[in-house]
């Protein structure tokens, strides 16, 4: 059995008429759908529901130059739309914005809405959004957070044709919710509630309607504008993570070699002056290397050992120097026993060239006698046989270099985060409700009072 | 890839290259020792406990 064919939707006819007020020709572009039309010459509102056109509101003033003249056609998302009406709206004369009514005989009506900086494409919804929380609405996967509280808005001026009897002074209650790239508007009066979904348009999309000079980044940002820094931050964090991972791999790959024991040397009992030992030759094979020297003083207690190192190149007598000290203390006070310091000292020399070297170590043992209730202060006594062991190794990367590199990697991200927070604070600063997310960061008590 | 991400990736490569070059030359601005240039050292000894 063949189903009944669906009758085709009637095509709107273009109808020409004359304004009863000024006599100018008025073209009705959606005849059969539109119930009112504004005269583009004098702005008078005409009732076109009857065969005899009636004058509803007469305006003897020139229709202001619109950003998009009525009759302009533009393509959005592959569909051609014709601009047939224009509304000036405001909140009792303040915070004005404009709305253009678009028409396509196959797709019906849509809106272009602008606050003078940004433009949005609006579509009347045939469904009611759901509530996720008391301040969050949803349509499918799209979420919208409350942005403007409900207030009364009015129509200030009407030009063109509309599908309802609109006139200057018409008032409705309006509230808005904003999501990334989208905005949800609810308008209600005693008879109906309507929801409109608005998508933020790009300058290129508005150029399709002949509007140029639309700012790429309007300031303050419109409620539904996505922070241009957010996506960059997300990708940047991944890039930074990969870079840091690579640096850690380099740390492992270039890890230092094994310590080689260069010798153990006695520390003179008593304070008798500096002692000197020469260790060598030490052979370094890489063009340049980090050389680490470690001193271990097993008997050290309540004293310190000064260590002067000089690496002398046997070929050219160039000297590389470093200084270290092993310090170790302990004692007892009112809080109990304490100790600090280490019985070992480690230093490194940077960029030592290839060659054969002698390591000259000048060292001097010292006793600390400023303690109170010391448990032990005789580490240099002959009975303890105090001594110092010297160990040497080459290679390895500096941990401090890794920290510097990490800071350099993160600096641009911190700058991006700062700009993202600034953007969100400016965007949500327009809202009637408390900021959330990044905009809630770094708020002062004065901000919270506002 | 956005322009910002591209430039940030370039920045990361430059940082890695600098880190690698410092590693190859065994260099660090924070090394305790290096080529001798004269000068005297000074130090304070003793525990810092209280």
């Amino acid at each position: 059995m063949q189903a009944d064919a669906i009758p085709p939707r009637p095509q709107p006819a273009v109808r020409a008429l004359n304004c009863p007020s000024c006599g100018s020709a008025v073209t009705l572009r959606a005849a059969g759908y539109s119930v009112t039309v504004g005269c583009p010459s004098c702005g008078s509102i005409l009732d076109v529901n009857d065969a005899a056109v009636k004058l509803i509101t007469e305006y003897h003033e020139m229709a202001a130059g619109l950003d998009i003249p009525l009759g302009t056609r533009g393509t959005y998302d592959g569909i051609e739309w014709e601009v047939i009406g224009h509304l000036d709206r405001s909140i009792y004369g303040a915070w004005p914005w404009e709305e253009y009514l678009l028409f396509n005989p196959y797709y019906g009506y849509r809106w272009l809405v602008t606050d003078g900086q940004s433009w949005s494409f609006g579509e009347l919804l045939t469904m009611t959004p759901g509530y996720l929380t008391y301040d969050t609405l949803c349509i499918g996967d799209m979420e919208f957070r409350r942005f403007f509280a409900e207030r009364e808005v009015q129509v200030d001026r009407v030009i063109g044709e509309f599908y309802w009897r609109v006139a200057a002074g018409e008032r409705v209650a309006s509230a808005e919710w904003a999501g990334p790239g989208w905005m949800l508007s609810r308008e209600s009066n005693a008879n109906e509630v309507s929801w409109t979904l608005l998508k933020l348009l790009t300058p290129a999309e508005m150029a399709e309607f002949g509007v140029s000079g639309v700012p790429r980044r309007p300031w303050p940002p419109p409620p539904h504008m996505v922070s241009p820094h957010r996506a960059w931050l997300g990708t940047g964090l991944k890039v930074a993570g990969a870079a840091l991972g690579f640096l850690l791999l380099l740390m492992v790959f270039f890890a230092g070699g094994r310590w080689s024991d260069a010798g153990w040397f006695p520390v003179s009992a008593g304070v008798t002056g500096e002692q000197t030992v020469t260790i060598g030759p030490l052979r370094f094979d890489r063009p340049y290397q980090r050389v680490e020297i470690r001193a271990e003083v097993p008997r050290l207690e309540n004293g310190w050992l000064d260590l002067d190192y000089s690496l002398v190149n046997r070929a050219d007598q160039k000297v590389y120097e470093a200084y270290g000290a092993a310090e170790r203390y302990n004692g007892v006070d009112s809080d109990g026993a304490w100790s600090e310091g280490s019985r070992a000292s480690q230093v490194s020399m940077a960029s030592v060239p290839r060659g054969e070297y002698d390591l000259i170590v000048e060292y001097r043992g010292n006793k600390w006698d400023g303690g109170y209730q010391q448990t032990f202060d005789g580490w240099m006594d002959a009975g303890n046989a105090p001594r110092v062991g010297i160990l040497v190794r080459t290679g390895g990367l500096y941990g401090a270099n890794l920290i510097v590199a990490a800071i350099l990697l993160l600096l641009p991200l911190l700058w991006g985060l700062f700009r993202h927070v600034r953007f969100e604070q400016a965007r949500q600063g327009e809202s009637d409700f408390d900021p959330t997310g990044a905009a809630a960061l770094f708020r002062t008590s004065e901000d919270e009072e506002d | 890839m956005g322009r910002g991400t591209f430039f940030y990736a370039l920045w990361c490569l430059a940082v890695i290259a600098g880190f690698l070059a410092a590693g190859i030359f065994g260099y660090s601005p924070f090394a305790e020792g290096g080529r001798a240039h004269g000068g005297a050292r000074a130090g304070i000894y003793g525990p810092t406990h209280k």
Side-chain angles (χ1 to χ4, degrees):
Chain A
M1 188 173 68
Q2 189 174 357
D4 293 339
I6 299 172
R9 194 174 178 180
Q11 292 280 322
V14 174
R15 178 181 159 200
L17 46 94
N18 290 100
C19 173
S21 177
C22 68
S24 298
V26 177
T27 303
L28 194 60
R29 296 179 177 84
Y33 291 89
S34 299
V35 294
T36 65
V37 62
C39 172
S41 297
C42 69
S44 299
I45 307 301
L46 315 177
D47 185 343
V48 293
N49 230 12
D50 295 332
V53 175
K54 296 174 187 172
L55 184 65
I56 298 175
T57 309
E58 188 172 11
Y59 281 102
H60 290 288
E61 59 187 44
M62 290 295 290
L66 303 177
D67 286 335
I68 310 176
L70 299 189
T72 300
R73 291 189 177 190
T75 302
Y76 173 71
D77 206 15
I79 300 170
E80 188 180 60
W81 299 94
E82 182 171 0
V83 179
I84 64 171
H86 172 267
L87 296 177
D88 277 334
R89 304 183 78 182
S90 68
I91 303 171
Y92 295 113
W95 304 96
W97 70 94
E98 298 173 50
E99 297 180 0
Y100 290 85
L101 182 60
L102 308 178
F103 180 71
N104 177 292
Y106 297 101
Y107 294 93
Y109 295 96
R110 300 290 188 276
W111 292 94
L112 279 178
V113 182
T114 179
D115 60 357
Q117 286 203 89
S118 58
W119 291 77
S120 300
F121 185 85
E123 179 178 1
L124 204 63
L125 293 177
T126 54
M127 57 178 286
T128 302
Y131 270 92
L132 279 181
T133 64
Y134 77 99
D135 63 354
T136 306
L137 299 179
C138 69
I139 301 174
D141 296 335
M142 301 163 68
E143 294 184 12
F144 306 84
R145 191 174 182 278
R146 61 182 182 172
F147 202 88
F148 291 128
E150 187 169 271
R151 73 278 190 214
E152 202 164 55
V153 302
Q154 68 184 28
V155 175
D156 295 320
R157 191 177 60 164
V158 182
I159 301 173
E161 56 190 275
F162 293 89
Y163 54 84
W164 80 101
R165 296 185 191 282
V166 60
E170 179 185 286
R171 289 179 179 174
V172 293
S174 175
E176 278 79 28
W177 289 255
W182 298 83
M183 198 158 163
L184 198 55
S185 171
R186 184 187 68 192
E187 293 191 354
S188 59
N189 58 23
N191 302 318
E192 64 174 357
V193 175
S194 63
W195 294 86
T196 304
L197 183 64
L198 296 137
K199 183 183 185 299
L200 188 66
L201 297 179
T202 64
E205 287 169 331
M206 281 315 299
E208 290 287 321
F209 288 89
V211 179
S212 59
V214 177
R216 201 166 61 90
R217 291 185 182 179
W219 196 267
H224 47 332
M225 187 171 183
V226 179
S227 166
H229 313 292
R230 183 172 189 158
W232 179 85
L233 275 175
T235 315
L237 274 175
K238 291 176 187 168
V239 173
L244 276 173
F246 185 68
L247 292 183
L248 288 173
L249 276 180
L250 288 177
M251 289 289 288
V252 173
F253 186 74
F254 286 104
R258 304 180 70 173
W259 291 101
S260 67
D261 194 341
W264 287 85
F265 310 97
V267 178
S268 295
V271 182
T272 57
E274 283 192 337
Q275 299 170 258
T276 303
V277 294
T278 300
I279 302 166
L282 302 174
R283 186 175 188 83
F284 305 136
D285 295 325
R286 291 172 53 194
Y288 292 93
Q289 47 252 296
R290 172 195 193 191
V291 177
E292 289 181 281
I293 304 169
R294 181 178 175 84
E296 294 183 354
V297 194
R299 299 285 185 183
L300 181 61
E301 199 68 66
N302 281 330
W304 70 94
L305 186 73
D306 283 320
L307 293 150
D308 279 313
Y309 304 105
S310 298
L311 264 180
V312 182
N313 191 320
R314 286 189 171 187
D316 55 16
Q317 300 301 304
K318 284 183 178 172
V319 180
Y320 296 80
E321 291 182 336
Y323 164 72
E327 295 184 77
R328 168 77 184 183
Y329 309 97
N330 70 37
V332 176
D333 62 13
S334 58
D335 292 332
W338 60 267
S339 66
E340 68 175 58
S342 169
R343 295 189 181 95
S345 162
Q346 191 168 317
V347 298
S348 69
M349 297 185 185
S351 302
V352 177
R354 173 190 292 140
E356 276 192 349
Y357 289 82
D358 287 318
L359 173 61
I360 301 169
V361 184
E362 295 176 330
Y363 60 97
R364 175 176 177 163
N366 302 274
K367 289 193 293 186
W368 176 59
D369 55 7
Y372 171 69
Q373 291 186 343
Q374 295 161 15
T375 57
F376 180 85
D377 65 355
W379 78 278
M380 289 173 64
D381 292 347
N384 285 320
R387 57 181 190 151
V388 54
I390 303 295
L391 300 95
V392 179
R393 74 172 180 180
T394 62
L397 300 181
Y398 284 92
N401 286 3
L402 180 67
I403 293 172
V404 170
I407 291 172
L408 290 175
L409 288 176
L410 293 178
L411 272 180
L413 291 181
L414 289 175
W415 174 241
L417 178 64
F418 167 76
R419 296 186 70 190
H420 174 63
V421 169
R422 188 166 164 265
F423 176 96
E424 281 297 307
Q425 287 179 339
R427 184 183 73 82
Q428 296 190 34
E430 302 291 304
S431 172
D432 295 330
F433 301 101
D434 285 339
T436 59
L441 298 174
F442 316 118
R443 294 185 78 215
T444 64
S445 56
E446 287 182 5
D447 293 334
E448 289 168 6
E449 285 172 11
D450 291 344
Chain B
M1 180 188 288
R3 193 175 59 172
T5 307
F6 175 74
F7 283 118
Y8 180 63
L10 275 184
W11 169 253
C12 289
L13 283 177
V15 172
I16 290 172
F19 180 79
L20 200 54
I24 289 170
F25 286 96
Y27 172 76
S28 172
F30 305 103
E32 294 85 0
R35 179 78 194 280
H37 296 289
R41 70 163 196 277
I44 299 171
Y45 300 95
T48 55
H49 180 85
K50 298 191 177 178

